[in-house]
Amino acid sequence: MKLLLLVFVFLAAAAPASAAERFKGKLLYRSDNEVWMPAPGVGYKHFKSRGDITFETGPFSKILPVRCYGTSYWTTKMSEAEGICIFGRMPDTWTVRYVITETKPGDQRRERFHRVGDWTAIGGTGKYDGIAGFGRYLAEPARDDFLNVTHWEGEVDLPAPTD
């Protein structure tokens, strides 16, 4: 029994000291879009956007720049969207891949634009090299000032500082 306890204490001490941290933030951005309507009720859009995310909670600086690149495809019966977003500026950035999860037009077209999806961290540079994480996003309609809004939340496991 003492040996088992000793092994458990050794393994617990050898485990990484980092733990996932929850965060929540609001991204305000503008997009440049190219849209094609190849048939009635069928559309495809490629976009790139830039803005700033303000974090309400979590381990990040209060405000970070964000660049996103993605595509959307829709018909009268379904919709798809996916892309990447890069948070921060060089040399310290982290990148996520996002995918829409509500694919029926009625699910996401409330108020003209409503997209819900999942994101996964796919890499980082500088102090974010080795980042891991996942979460959800909600994109809303543009505001009166023509800025789009996306709410991001989830958890990240940040690499230990290398100072």
Side-chain angles (χ1 to χ4, degrees), residues 35-40 42-44 73-74:
V35 179
W36 296 269
M37 300 296 290
V42 177
Y44 180 82
Y73 166 77
W74 64 92

Side-chain angles (χ1 to χ4, degrees), residues 15 18-19 23 25 28-29 36 61 66-67 79 82 100 110 123 130 162:
S18 64
F23 77 88
L28 300 177
Y29 61 97
W36 296 269
S61 300
V66 179
R67 292 172 288 143
S79 183
E82 65 180 354
I100 191 173
R110 292 184 291 254
T162 57

Side-chain angles (χ1 to χ4, degrees), residues 58-108:
F60 301 107
S61 300
K62 182 77 172 151
I63 298 176
L64 284 178
V66 179
R67 292 172 288 143
C68 295
Y69 307 91
T71 60
S72 296
Y73 166 77
W74 64 92
T75 70
T76 56
K77 297 186 180 0
M78 55 78 64
S79 183
E80 298 174 355
E82 65 180 354
I84 65 165
C85 291
I86 304 160
F87 293 75
R89 64 175 47 94
M90 290 301 283
D92 302 314
T93 66
W94 55 289
T95 302
V96 303
R97 178 180 187 270
Y98 67 85
V99 175
I100 191 173
T101 57
E102 294 185 13
T103 59
K104 295 181 207 161
D107 291 341
Q108 47 153 307

Side-chain angles (χ1 to χ4, degrees), residues 6 13 37 40 48 55 62 74 82 101 116 150 153 156-157:
L6 187 59
M37 300 296 290
K48 54 186 171 181
F55 291 100
K62 182 77 172 151
W74 64 92
E82 65 180 354
T101 57
V116 175
T150 298
E153 64 178 41
V156 290
D157 198 354

Side-chain angles (χ1 to χ4, degrees), residues 3-63:
L3 179 60
L4 185 58
L5 182 59
L6 187 59
V7 168
F8 177 78
V9 169
F10 175 77
L11 290 175
S18 64
E21 296 185 60
R22 302 249 350 127
F23 77 88
K24 185 186 251 188
K26 181 162 82 172
L27 172 63
L28 300 177
Y29 61 97
R30 295 189 192 286
S31 289
D32 293 323
N33 303 311
E34 289 185 73
V35 179
W36 296 269
M37 300 296 290
V42 177
Y44 180 82
K45 176 170 73 170
H46 178 265
F47 67 90
K48 54 186 171 181
S49 61
R50 291 185 180 273
D52 292 306
I53 188 168
T54 302
F55 291 100
E56 300 167 33
T57 61
F60 301 107
S61 300
K62 182 77 172 151
I63 298 176

